C-alpha cells in the first residue's frame, strides 16, 4: 500500500500533504489526552512493532502478498490520535531511510495508511464494543472486525485519490475492483495479527489497552427480585510488578527485533497488493525513482553487506531501533506538554484570577 513517487500528480499530492499535516496537528493535540503514564511508554513501542511486522509480507493469492498496515492495532492499543502518529512515524522512517513509499507521496501515504485506517478502524471498534457483551473477548472480536474493514477502506481511499490525480489513464472501475478485491484478503491477515496482538496484551496487562478501558463487567446483585449494579468496590492496590512497564516494554522490543531481524528473511517475496495491481493495470508506467534510492538502507538492506540474510536482518534491527527512538521522543514530548498544561492550569486559582 506504500504509494511510490509518480503514481499521483503533484497538485493532488500537495493537497493530501496539507490534509496529512492538518490531521497530524490535530492528532498531536488529541494525543495529549490519550497519553498518560501507562500509554506513553507503550506508544513508541507500538510504532516499532508496526515497523517490524510490516516487513513480514504474507501470501494472499497467486503471486501477491500483503502486510500489516497497523492503523487498527495502534488505535486500539494507544488511542486513535496517538495511533495516527504511530503509523505516521513508521511511514516517515520508511520513506526517508528505506526508500519505501515516495517522499512526494508522503502525504498520500499518511492520508491513506495512517488516517483512513485509524479512523475507520476505531469507529468500527467503538461501535462494536458498545453492543457486544462487556469483556476481553468483546475487545478481541471488535479488534478483528475493525482491522478487516480498515484495509479495504484504505484501498477505496487510494482509488479515490487515483481517480482525482492518477498519472496514468487506467479505467477507475478496473482499479477499484482489483484494489478492493485483493485488499479484502489482506484485511484478513491484518485482522488476525491485530486480534492476536491485542488479545496477548490484554491477557497480560489489560490496563495498557486504550480500547479496553471502562469495559469491565459490573457485578450484579438481586434486590427485590431485580438485578441491580453492585456498589463500586474500592480499587485493590496494584502490585509493584504490575505497575512496572519495563517487562512488557522489553518483551515487546525483543519481539520486534526478532521479527524484523530474523523472521523477516522468510517473508513472502511476492509483490504486495498495490504493487501487483499497479503492474497488472499499468498504474506504474510513470513511477519515478525514489529520492532516497541511494540510501545505505534502501530496500531494507545494508549497503555493502553481501550476505542477504545478514543485510536484511541488520536493516530490520536498525529500523526498529530508529523507529522506537523517534516515536518515543515524539510521545514523551507530547506527554510532557500535557503535564505542563495541567500544571499551568493548577496554578491558576480563583483568588489568583481575581488579583
Amino acid at each position: 500500500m506504500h504509494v511510490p513517487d509518480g503514481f499521483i500528480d503533484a497538485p493532488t499530492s500537495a493537497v493530501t500533504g496539507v490534509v496529512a499535516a492538518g490531521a497530524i496537528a490535530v492528532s498531536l493535540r488529541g494525543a495529549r489526552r490519550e497519553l498518560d503514564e501507562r500509554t506513553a511508554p507503550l506508544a513508541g513501542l507500538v510504532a516499532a512493532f508496526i515497523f517490524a511486522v510490516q516487513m513480514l509480507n504474507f501470501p494472499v493469492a497467486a503471486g501477491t502478498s500483503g502486510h500489516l498496515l497497523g492503523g487498527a492495532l495502534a488505535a486500539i492499543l494507544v488511542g486513535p490520535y496517538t495511533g495516527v502518529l504511530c503509523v505516521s512515524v513508521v511511514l516517515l522512517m520508511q520513506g526517508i531511510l528505506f526508500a519505501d513509499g515516495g517522499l512526494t507521496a508522503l502525504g498520500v501515504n499518511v492520508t491513506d495508511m495512517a488516517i483512513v485506517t485509524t479512523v475507520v478502524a476505531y469507529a468500527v471498534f467503538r461501535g462494536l464494543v458498545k453492543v457486544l457483551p462487556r469483556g476481553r473477548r468483546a475487545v478481541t472480536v471488535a479488534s478483528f472486525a475493525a482491522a478487516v474493514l480498515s484495509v479495504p477502506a484504505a484501498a477505496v481511499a487510494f482509488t479515490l485519490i487515483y481517480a482525482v490525480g492518477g498519472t496514468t489513464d487506467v479505467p477507475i472501475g478496473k482499479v477499484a475492483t482489483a484494489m478492493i478485491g485483493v485488499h479484502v484478503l489482506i484485511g484478513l491477515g491484518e485482522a488476525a495479527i491485530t486480534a492476536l496482538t491485542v488479545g496477548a496484551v490484554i491477557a497480560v496487562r489489560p490496563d495498557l489497552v486504550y480500547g479496553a478501558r471502562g469495559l469491565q463487567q459490573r457485578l450484579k446483585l438481586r434486590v427485590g427480585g431485580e438485578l441491580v449494579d453492585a456498589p463500586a468496590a474500592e480499587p485493590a492496590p496494584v502490585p509493584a510488578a504490575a505497575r512496572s512497564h519495563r517487562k512488557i516494554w522489553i518483551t515487546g522490543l525483543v519481539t520486534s527485533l526478532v521479527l524484523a531481524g530474523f523472521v523477516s528473511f522468510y517473508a513472502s517475496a511476492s509483490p504486495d497488493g498495490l504493487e501487483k495491481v499497479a503492474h497488472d493495470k499499468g498504474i506504474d508506467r510513470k513511477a519515478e525513482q525514489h529520492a532516497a534510492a541511494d540510501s545505505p538502507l534502501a530496500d531494507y538492506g545494508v549497503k555493502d553487506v553481501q550476505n542477504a540474510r545478514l543485510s536484511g536482518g541488520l536493516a530490520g534491527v536498525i529500523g526498529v531501533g530508529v523507529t522506537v527512538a523517534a516515536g518515543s521522543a515524539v510521545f514523551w514530548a507530547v506527554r510532557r506538554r500535557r503535564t505542563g498544561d495541567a500544571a499551568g492550569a493548577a496554578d491558576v486559582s480563583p483568588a489568583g484570577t481575581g488579583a
Side-chain angles (χ1 to χ4, degrees), residues 165-188:
T167 56
T168 53
D169 186 17
V170 179
I172 195 63
K174 291 184 177 180
V175 176
T177 301
M179 283 293 294
I180 296 171
V182 71
H183 284 91
V184 166
L185 299 176
I186 294 173
L188 295 173

Side-chain angles (χ1 to χ4, degrees), residues 149-305:
L149 294 176
S150 70
V151 178
V156 171
F158 169 80
T159 302
L160 294 176
I161 294 171
Y162 178 81
V164 174
T167 56
T168 53
D169 186 17
V170 179
I172 195 63
K174 291 184 177 180
V175 176
T177 301
M179 283 293 294
I180 296 171
V182 71
H183 284 91
V184 166
L185 299 176
I186 294 173
L188 295 173
E190 176 104 9
I193 295 170
T194 300
L196 288 172
T197 305
V198 171
V201 178
I202 287 180
V204 179
R205 290 291 303 274
D207 60 305
L208 293 182
V209 179
Y210 182 90
R213 296 181 181 180
L215 294 181
Q216 295 84 0
Q217 182 69 50
R218 289 290 298 276
L219 178 65
K220 297 286 186 179
L221 296 178
R222 187 175 295 278
V223 179
E226 296 183 359
L227 290 176
V228 298
D229 288 335
E234 290 294 327
V238 181
R243 290 198 301 267
S244 173
H245 302 95
R246 183 176 300 175
K247 184 176 180 179
I248 193 168
W249 198 90
I250 293 175
T251 301
L253 181 60
V254 170
T255 300
S256 300
L257 290 170
V258 170
L259 291 175
F262 177 73
V263 181
S264 62
F265 181 78
Y266 301 97
S268 172
S270 299
D272 67 23
L274 176 58
E275 291 172 336
K276 179 66 172 176
V277 171
H279 177 73
D280 290 348
K281 305 301 178 184
I283 297 174
D284 60 357
R285 287 197 299 266
K286 294 187 178 180
E288 300 173 0
Q289 185 179 28
H290 199 286
D294 294 330
S295 166
L297 299 172
D299 297 324
Y300 298 94
V302 177
K303 189 175 181 180
D304 296 331
V305 175

Side-chain angles (χ1 to χ4, degrees), residues 52-244:
V53 180
Q54 282 196 4
M55 294 183 66
L56 308 180
N57 281 45
F58 48 86
V60 295
T64 310
S65 69
H67 62 70
L68 182 82
L69 298 186
L73 178 62
I76 295 164
L77 286 180
V78 293
Y81 293 108
T82 308
V84 169
L85 298 178
C86 282
V87 182
S88 297
V89 168
V90 173
L91 293 172
L92 184 61
M93 295 299 100
Q94 290 171 332
I96 293 176
L97 298 178
F98 297 92
D100 189 11
L103 295 183
T104 62
L106 185 60
V108 175
N109 286 320
V110 169
T111 301
D112 194 25
M113 296 177 63
I115 301 170
V116 171
T117 59
T118 302
V119 170
V120 170
Y122 199 71
V124 172
F125 176 82
R126 294 309 307 175
L128 287 175
V129 294
K130 288 181 179 179
V131 300
L132 291 172
R134 290 173 176 260
R136 297 178 183 178
R137 183 175 297 178
V139 175
T140 304
V141 171
S143 299
F144 187 95
V148 162
L149 294 176
S150 70
V151 178
V156 171
F158 169 80
T159 302
L160 294 176
I161 294 171
Y162 178 81
V164 174
T167 56
T168 53
D169 186 17
V170 179
I172 195 63
K174 291 184 177 180
V175 176
T177 301
M179 283 293 294
I180 296 171
V182 71
H183 284 91
V184 166
L185 299 176
I186 294 173
L188 295 173
E190 176 104 9
I193 295 170
T194 300
L196 288 172
T197 305
V198 171
V201 178
I202 287 180
V204 179
R205 290 291 303 274
D207 60 305
L208 293 182
V209 179
Y210 182 90
R213 296 181 181 180
L215 294 181
Q216 295 84 0
Q217 182 69 50
R218 289 290 298 276
L219 178 65
K220 297 286 186 179
L221 296 178
R222 187 175 295 278
V223 179
E226 296 183 359
L227 290 176
V228 298
D229 288 335
E234 290 294 327
V238 181
R243 290 198 301 267
S244 173

